[in-house]
Amino acid sequence: MKEFMMIFVGTSYEELGLSPEQMQARMGKWFAWSNKMESQGIAHRGEALHDAVKRISGPDRVVGDGPFVESKELVGGYYIVKAETVEDVVEIAQDFPDYDLGSSVEIREIMVFDQ
Amino acid sequence: MSDEPLVEHLFRHQFGKMVSVLTRIFGLSNLEMIEDAVQDTFVNALTKWRIQAPDDPEAWLMQAAKNRMVDLFRKTKAENKHTEQLYYSPGAHHLNELLLDHEIEDAQLRMIFVACHPALKPEEQIAFALRSIAGFNIKEIAVGLLLPEETVKKRLQRARKKVVDQGIEFAVPSGAELLPRFNRVMDVIYIIFNEGFQSTHQAQIIKKDLCGEALRLCQLLLKRDEMRSSKLYALFALLCFHSSRLDTKISPEGELIDLEHQDRTQWFWPLIKLGNEAMNKAMERDELSTYYFEAAIAGEHIKARTFAETDWDQIAHWYACLLEWHDHDIYRLNLAYVHIQQGNFANAERLLLQIPPKNLADRQYLLFGTWAELHKAKGDHQKANASLKEAIEAVTNDVERRYLRGKLRG
């Protein structure tokens, strides 16, 4: 088993102006996705990220406040899942609920160093 | 995480509750700030929950509301320029008290009465009520009422401006003001319901939601002893009877199904039972209203197990009472239809001739459609078709048009 990070990239919900009812509907889709993974025995964990960004860069360690990317490219959160292959994760990501909002999923394998 | 799906409309209803409670504390002049703040809470919930759902979403939202209140206290204190006298001191004890169920209901009741303040035009009242009490956003109101979003936006802006400029109090009025305002509150609920029930546009979900919200507002009023008038019970009964048929009015393919062809076994009995109970309460007092007669008519239809078993004589009686109580061409038109069912063609024709088409505005097609029914009942299919064509010409929505066309073929 390998571990993969699914990174959720897209417009922040704050900018979409969804109504309470629409937000609830979207929530339901996320719950369904999470439940589906659970029922298939796919271990997953993750965190959600706030929109605000601080960036430190350059030899002078210049501190700046975001946003630094277009709002539709904001990283909103991630899941870490266990799977055999990246194709399996691509399969899991089929049910990501926010494609219709223009959001996307990036999958990266988590590196393990053999000693 | 919890496997339970979220309570239906939890977010929307929670939005309305939180806005009302916060308005009670911060005043109507801060309404826009409050709505934005509540919206933020939901965005946060959505962002967080999608990764990690809480065990008790409702409690989570309530806690978020509390935190938000504390934030707002700090914020308004720091700014200290737009802040008016706060109604309550920001002690934690007070906050908890304001979040008790009956206090939330009290705050929502105040909001309904504010929405129906006479300073607001009727169309502004409805937009304001749907936004601030029922938690619809501009787009949903626009879809629900078949209006451009820009129009809804303007109405809401005007309503909010009036509420602030005229210093409207966040309270249920007392004394001589109470009765007219209460009547208006019931009218607004009735209109919101009808927007959902009568409209035939495609957005089925919004349509049902409008009916559901009207029922919920009615129930909120009924919780208060002093509001339980015969008229309110009658309104509730009417909404229950109509709602029980909501799912049978439109086929899965989106076609209109008339009363004669609805599957009566699919009418929703729990609502009919609620409606009957409310009607009994309404009858306890000798207080009549248009709602009372309309509910009596709707109840009579519900009672009939098949269309053929409808007691048209009784319904004709109720329509006659209704017309006497409140003369309106739509009631006259309905009575004419009942007379056709009774085979009383002469009376039907007499009534139809009394109705100038222009009085019905965009519902003229109903008049032509009823003429078609009359001609058909009398066996004159040529005239019936001519009237149907007039109706098709006048109708403004596709679902009704298809329905009428279907009759033309038949």
Side-chain angles (χ1 to χ4, degrees), chain B residues 179-238:
Chain B
L179 190 61
R181 189 85 69 87
F182 185 36
N183 280 330
R184 186 60 203 158
V185 165
M186 287 188 278
D187 280 348
V188 164
I189 292 174
Y190 178 79
I191 292 166
I192 289 175
F193 183 87
N194 271 331
E195 286 292 344
F197 190 71
Q198 304 295 351
S199 79
T200 44
H201 62 76
Q202 300 295 328
Q204 285 298 309
I205 295 175
I206 293 281
K207 195 178 112 119
K208 273 178 88 168
D209 285 0
L210 287 172
C211 295
E213 285 309 308
L215 268 172
R216 200 172 65 93
L217 294 180
C218 220
Q219 278 175 312
L220 202 61
L221 295 175
L222 279 171
K223 284 191 178 173
R224 299 288 284 249
D225 268 341
E226 68 274 25
M227 305 270 164
R228 288 180 196 150
S229 65
S230 166
K231 190 173 171 182
L232 180 61
Y233 275 118
L235 173 62
F236 187 62
L238 175 63

Side-chain angles (χ1 to χ4, degrees), chain A residues 18-19 21 24 27 48 76, chain B residues 7 9-11 39 47 50 140:
Chain A
L18 300 175
S19 72
E21 191 76 2
Q24 180 163 349
M27 190 80 79
Chain B
V7 177
H9 307 309
L10 173 66
F11 275 37
Q39 177 79 9
T47 308
R50 58 184 183 152
E140 285 165 339

Side-chain angles (χ1 to χ4, degrees), chain B residues 26-186:
Chain B
F26 294 102
L28 281 162
S29 60
N30 286 309
L31 186 57
E32 223 165 326
M33 171 193 83
I34 291 165
E35 288 186 0
D36 287 348
V38 175
Q39 177 79 9
D40 279 354
T41 312
F42 285 92
V43 170
N44 286 342
L46 176 55
T47 308
K48 178 82 187 151
W49 294 7
R50 58 184 183 152
I51 311 280
Q52 266 180 332
D55 288 330
D56 185 347
E58 224 171 328
W60 195 100
L61 284 177
M62 211 31 118
Q63 186 58 45
K66 251 189 251 184
N67 297 344
R68 182 48 83 175
M69 278 195 226
V70 175
D71 280 354
L72 284 178
F73 274 125
R74 284 202 200 109
K75 192 172 166 243
T76 44
K77 224 176 174 180
E79 286 177 358
N80 208 19
K81 33 192 178 189
H82 304 297
T83 318
E84 60 194 86
Q85 182 90 41
L86 294 180
Y87 295 125
Y88 291 90
S89 64
H93 173 67
H94 261 118
L95 290 186
N96 287 331
E97 221 163 64
L98 286 175
L99 291 170
L100 293 174
D101 281 349
H102 69 274
E103 292 294 340
I104 293 175
E105 281 161 11
D106 180 78
Q108 288 197 284
L109 207 61
R110 290 168 193 239
M111 193 64 100
I112 300 174
F113 278 83
V114 166
C116 297
H117 193 281
L120 276 61
K121 286 188 190 154
E123 66 268 22
E124 293 164 0
Q125 294 174 338
I126 289 161
F128 186 92
L130 285 175
R131 172 68 188 154
S132 300
I133 306 158
F136 283 57
N137 73 355
I138 288 172
K139 195 168 177 191
E140 285 165 339
I141 299 172
V143 173
L145 304 183
L146 293 176
L147 292 168
E149 282 181 39
E150 201 49 41
T151 308
V152 173
K153 210 169 156 184
K154 279 188 189 139
R155 283 182 189 176
L156 277 174
Q157 277 166 354
R158 275 199 297 266
R160 283 191 188 131
K161 191 167 183 315
K162 283 181 186 170
V163 166
V164 176
D165 290 354
Q166 309 207 9
I168 292 173
E169 202 188 339
F170 191 60
V172 175
S174 55
E177 262 184 80
L178 178 60
L179 190 61
R181 189 85 69 87
F182 185 36
N183 280 330
R184 186 60 203 158
V185 165
M186 287 188 278

